[in-house]
């Protein structure tokens, strides 16, 4: 959440409603833009998207009419609109923004590949009708640096490619080849789901198969999937399901890859899980930085709606709006309900009191992607895979200083050295292995000398690190780990929802302290303990990990900071 934008919401709370009298002309415009979108709070963010897409911004008076249309207070609408990065709230006397918005990812991997230089070059060009913005990770780390012109993501971005896209007005989502519905059916797709719907198998048998496979939540938490399905099923209905496709962790892009290549395998897993827990509705929450994924899933769901495969299930596709915190499961639920993505206090847990107060099954994209194969091939097919004493299959997002970055689907427990040598073609030309992030921005940083640790749940914690979403970023002798840690802490500072003081102030103070040439180690350690112990959710708890890793494993890099 952008703290400066929040000041807009605060200022709006002080305005009197009489300053925004009903405007029939704007009201008719709002009605026309919303069209048949339901006037329920849960659709508020969808409504804001429609206005933003049409108007290229969100003028105050339009938000006032939107509040009237949804029978909400102006404060509720404004605080929601100003919470998300991708909504541009503007004053009534400044209702125009440049025609084109170019976003340059400045997260770690893109920074390694010249994001700052690209930003400077673009701003020096003074492109007409164009604004240049920094942006957090866009999930294209394997093609760094990445930029977007409107909804058009540009991989391996350069000034030339971006300028050409602007001049040609190429702002639509890029197109990718993927396994469509008919091809998926020809390869045996949806047969397992049909067996479920026809009663050829029972729910408990499927849960036992998933439990025996050892499948876990692969979005970061690692909770046992079969156990979660059993817990949710134990609570009285009506039950719901929510799918977290909001992978915003810097360095993570596995879900994008899976959904852009084999979306129906994922959807079959969704529908099987939905059937097992007897959920009445399933909400798939897709990050707004993945417009191509959104279009693919939207088309796929429309096809499924014309078949018997959705018997007893209703799929809802929801679009995020640029907020990393919504990757936290309860913040995602709040966003689906049309609110700010503020994490909830636990307990109660979402399995018992989740979306709209109902028992809710929440699963990650990759977890559901493996469900069909596990049921068809048996639990052992999955559990017998693995290396170095670990079990299962994982999709590792590998980026940074390697020859062949990308999603590497292999045995869980592989080491970073094995991953680099067997799947990435070695280090990039002219680079020497220095260190690596085993779990994205939250997972800490380890030195190259510790390249033999299995990349799996439970193997990294003793070293102050986490596997999380398995986002592996490789650093070389040409990179500074202290600068990497500052980049990551700035990300957390920007993305903190601001709800709890330890995270909100802790990230801000950490950035200030880390910008100094000589880090105040005692103060940073004290601050990190407070953040870890008192933050509401994992963002604040894990934000200091990279900084702590630098203090522990790379103290020599701290002296390289220019004070």
């Amino acid at each position: 959440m952008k703290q400066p934008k929040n000041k807009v919401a605060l200022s709006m709370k002080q305005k009197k409603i009489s300053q925004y009298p009903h405007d029939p002309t704007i009201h008719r415009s709002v009605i026309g833009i919303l069209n048949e979108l339901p006037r329920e709070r849960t659709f508020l963010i969808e409504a804001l998207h429609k206005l933003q897409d049409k108007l290229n911004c969100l003028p105050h008076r339009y938000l006032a009419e939107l509040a009237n249309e949804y029978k909400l207070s102006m404060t509720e609408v404004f605080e929601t609109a100003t919470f998300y990065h991708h909504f541009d709230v503007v004053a009534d006397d400044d209702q125009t923004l440049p025609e084109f918005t170019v976003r340059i990812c400045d997260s770690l991997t893109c920074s390694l590949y010249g994001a700052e230089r690209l930003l400077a070059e673009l701003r020096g060009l003074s492109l007409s009708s164009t604004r240049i913005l920094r942006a957090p990770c866009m999930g294209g780390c394997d093609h760094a640096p990445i930029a977007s012109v409107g909804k058009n993501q540009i991989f391996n971005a350069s000034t030339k490619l971006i300028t050409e896209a602007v001049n040609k007005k190429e702002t639509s989502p890029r197109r990718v080849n993927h396994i469509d519905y008919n091809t998926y059916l020809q390869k045996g797709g949806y047969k397992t789901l049909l067996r479920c719907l026809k009663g050829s198998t029972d729910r408990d048998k499927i849960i036992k198969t998933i439990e025996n496979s050892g499948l876990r939540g692969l979005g970061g938490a690692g909770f046992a999937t079969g156990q979660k399905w059993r817990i949710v099923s134990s609570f009285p209905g009506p039950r719901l399901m929510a799918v977290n496709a909001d992978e915003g962790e810097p360095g993570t892009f596995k879900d994008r890859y899976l959904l852009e290549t084999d979306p129906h395998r994922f959807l079959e897993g969704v529908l099987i899980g939905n059937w097992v827990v007897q959920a009445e509705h399933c909400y798939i929450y897709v990050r707004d930085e993945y417009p191509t994924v959104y279009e693919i899933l939207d088309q796929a769901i429309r096809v499924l709606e014309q078949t018997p495969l959705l018997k007893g299930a209703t799929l809802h596709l929801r679009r995020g709006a640029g907020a990393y915190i919504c990757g936290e499961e309860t913040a995602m639920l709040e966003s689906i309900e049309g609110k700010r993505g503020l994490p909830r206090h636990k307990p109660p847990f979402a399995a018992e009191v989740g979306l709209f107060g109902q028992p809710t099954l929440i699963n990650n994209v990759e977890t559901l992607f493996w469900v069909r194969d596990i049921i068809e091939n048996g639990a052992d097919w999955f559990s017998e895979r693995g290396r170095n004493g670990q079990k299962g299959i994982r999709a590792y997002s590998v980026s940074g200083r390697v020859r062949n970055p990308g999603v590497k689907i292999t045995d869980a427990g592989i080491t970073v050295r094995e991953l680099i040598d067997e799947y990435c073609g070695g280090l990039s030309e002219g680079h020497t292995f220095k260190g690596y992030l085993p779990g994205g921005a939250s997972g800490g940083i380890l030195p190259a000398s510790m390249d033999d640790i299995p990349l799996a749940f439970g193997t990294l914690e003793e070293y102050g690190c986490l596997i999380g979403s398995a986002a592996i970023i490789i650093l070389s002798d040409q990179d500074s780990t202290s600068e990497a840690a500052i980049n990551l802490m700035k990300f957390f500072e920007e993305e903190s929802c601001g709800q709890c003081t330890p995270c909100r102030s802790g990230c801000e103070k950490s950035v200030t302290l880390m910008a100094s040439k000589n880090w105040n180690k005692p103060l940073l350690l004290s601050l990190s303990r407070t953040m870890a112990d008192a933050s509401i959710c994992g963002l604040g708890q894990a934000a200091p990990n990279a900084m702590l890793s630098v203090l522990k494993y790379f103290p020599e890099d701290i002296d390289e900071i220019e004070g």
Side-chain angles (χ1 to χ4, degrees):
M1 178 188 67
K2 294 185 177 180
Q3 298 298 334
K5 290 186 73 176
N6 252 8
K7 295 177 182 177
V8 177
L10 291 174
S11 67
M12 291 311 304
K13 293 178 183 179
Q14 299 167 0
K15 291 180 178 288
K16 295 181 180 179
I17 295 179
S18 60
Q19 288 184 264
Y20 292 95
H22 175 59
D23 188 319
T25 301
I26 293 179
H27 187 238
R28 285 193 295 271
S29 177
V30 169
I31 291 175
I33 293 171
L34 299 183
N35 199 3
E36 297 180 356
L37 189 71
R39 303 319 197 245
E40 301 169 13
R41 175 63 189 260
T42 181
F43 288 95
L44 177 59
I45 292 176
E46 299 298 310
L48 290 168
H49 272 306
K50 282 184 172 290
L51 291 178
Q52 175 77 36
D53 291 345
K54 180 68 175 181
L55 305 172
N56 197 35
C57 62
L58 296 174
H60 288 180
R61 290 191 181 276
Y62 274 80
L63 293 182
E65 292 303 327
L66 183 66
N68 289 332
E69 186 68 12
Y70 273 77
K71 295 180 173 56
L72 296 170
S73 69
M74 291 171 59
T75 298
E76 290 177 291
V77 174
F78 274 90
E79 71 179 7
T80 302
T82 55
F83 183 86
Y84 297 92
H85 290 298
H86 292 184
F87 294 141
D88 297 303
V89 177
V90 299
D92 294 320
D93 56 355
D94 183 24
Q95 293 188 15
T96 60
L97 287 176
E99 180 181 2
F100 302 103
T101 296
V102 175
R103 288 184 165 89
I104 307 297
C105 174
D106 66 355
S107 287
L108 181 55
T109 302
C110 285
S111 292
L112 298 180
Y113 282 86
E116 294 298 329
R117 181 177 64 252
L118 184 58
L119 272 163
E121 290 175 355
L122 287 169
R123 286 172 174 167
L125 291 178
S126 299
L127 293 172
S128 61
S129 301
T130 303
R131 59 175 179 156
I132 312 296
L133 303 177
R134 292 178 177 272
C137 187
M138 298 182 189
C141 317
D142 50 339
H143 299 285
I146 182 174
S148 68
V149 179
K151 296 180 181 180
N152 177 20
Q153 286 193 332
I154 300 175
F155 289 167
N156 304 116
S158 64
T159 302
K160 179 183 178 181
L161 291 176
I162 294 170
T163 302
E164 288 178 352
V166 170
N167 291 336
K168 295 178 181 178
K169 299 187 176 183
E170 295 174 343
T171 60
S172 299
R174 58 190 174 83
R175 296 286 183 265
V176 297
N177 293 323
H178 62 275
I179 299 173
D180 61 17
Y181 175 73
N182 290 328
T183 303
Y184 186 69
L185 285 184
Q186 292 170 6
K187 295 183 177 182
Y190 290 116
K191 286 184 178 179
T192 299
L193 175 62
L194 282 172
R195 288 178 57 239
C196 294
L197 297 177
K198 292 178 179 179
S200 300
T201 186
D202 64 80
R203 293 177 171 86
D204 190 62
K205 180 180 179 181
I206 287 181
I207 290 178
K208 285 181 179 178
T209 299
I210 298 299
E211 287 176 332
N212 292 336
S213 73
L215 180 66
R216 302 173 70 167
L218 300 176
F223 194 87
T225 303
Q227 183 181 355
K228 179 181 284 190
W229 288 14
R230 190 176 296 281
I231 291 171
V232 174
S233 299
S234 69
F235 291 109
R239 290 180 284 273
L240 301 173
M241 182 175 180
V243 180
N244 192 338
D246 191 61
E247 59 171 5
E249 185 77 16
T252 311
F253 47 91
K254 60 184 179 64
D255 291 352
R256 189 207 82 217
Y257 170 81
L258 297 175
L259 294 173
E260 286 185 354
T261 54
D262 202 353
H264 285 281
R265 189 177 300 273
F266 156 73
L267 287 172
E268 183 167 10
V270 170
L271 292 170
I272 291 172
N274 194 84
W275 177 81
V276 168
V277 302
Q278 302 180 69
E280 295 185 0
H281 296 269
C282 175
Y283 294 79
I284 302 174
Y285 188 86
V286 180
R287 67 184 310 221
D288 201 34
E289 290 85 351
Y290 287 175
T292 297
V293 167
Y294 186 91
E295 286 199 350
I296 289 173
L297 290 178
D298 184 53
Q299 180 184 20
I301 291 172
R302 290 177 187 275
V303 171
L304 290 177
E305 288 174 342
Q306 307 304 313
T307 73
L309 295 171
L310 293 187
K311 178 182 177 183
T314 303
L315 296 181
H316 306 270
L317 192 59
R318 291 296 173 86
R319 180 178 162 192
Y324 166 76
I325 191 62
C326 290
E328 195 278 337
E329 63 176 19
T330 62
M332 176 188 68
L333 298 182
E334 290 288 300
S335 189
I336 292 173
E337 292 180 4
K339 306 171 187 175
R340 294 175 295 166
L342 300 179
R344 300 173 181 176
H345 290 274
K346 304 172 187 175
F349 295 95
E352 180 180 6
V353 182
L355 191 59
F356 308 120
Q358 302 300 321
T360 303
L361 172 64
I362 302 176
N363 279 139
N364 163 262
V365 170
E366 186 188 355
T367 300
L368 294 167
F369 188 85
W370 296 117
V371 166
R372 169 200 162 184
D373 294 280
I374 291 172
I375 295 172
E376 291 182 358
N377 299 308
D380 291 345
W381 171 84
F382 189 84
S383 64
E384 289 180 355
R385 292 284 299 271
R387 298 191 190 189
N388 303 307
Q390 306 303 311
K391 294 182 178 181
I393 304 171
R394 286 217 72 168
Y396 294 90
S397 305
V398 186
S399 66
R401 307 301 191 178
V402 291
R403 294 177 186 270
N404 302 313
V407 174
K408 313 300 178 181
I409 299 177
T410 183
D411 296 329
I414 192 172
T415 67
V416 71
R417 173 55 65 186
E418 293 168 335
L419 202 56
I420 292 171
D421 293 344
E422 297 176 27
Y423 290 89
C424 300
L427 269 289
S428 299
E429 186 71 29
H431 290 263
T432 301
F433 190 23
K434 177 178 181 176
Y436 65 103
L437 282 72
S442 305
I445 308 175
L446 290 171
S449 59
M450 300 173 69
D451 63 356
D452 58 348
I453 303 171
L455 297 171
F457 292 112
T459 61
L460 296 158
E461 285 79 356
E462 63 178 294
Y463 308 105
C465 294
L466 304 167
I467 184 63
S469 58
I472 317 298
I473 303 177
I474 307 300
L475 304 176
S476 78
D477 58 335
Q478 298 183 26
D479 305 315
S480 166
T481 57
S482 59
E483 292 296 338
I486 292 172
N487 177 288
L488 299 174
M489 190 62 78
K490 286 181 177 178
F491 167 79
F492 289 122
E493 178 190 26
E494 180 75 2
E495 294 300 325
S496 172
C497 75
Q499 181 179 192
C500 66
T501 301
C503 176
R504 181 184 67 248
S505 296
C507 290
E508 178 186 357
K509 300 303 181 185
S510 294
V511 168
T512 301
L513 290 169
M514 293 167 71
S516 301
K517 183 174 182 179
N518 297 310
W519 288 8
N520 187 329
K521 182 176 179 180
L523 188 54
L524 282 170
L525 290 176
S526 175
L527 190 59
S528 66
R529 282 194 294 270
T530 300
M531 294 171 67
D533 292 343
S535 295
I536 291 175
C537 78
L539 191 156
Q541 295 164 10
N545 284 346
M547 175 266 291
L548 294 173
S549 294
V550 174
L551 288 171
K552 184 175 183 179
Y553 300 115
F554 305 93
E556 68 280 1
D557 277 6
I558 298 174
D559 295 333
E560 297 178 2
I561 300 175
E562 295 182 5

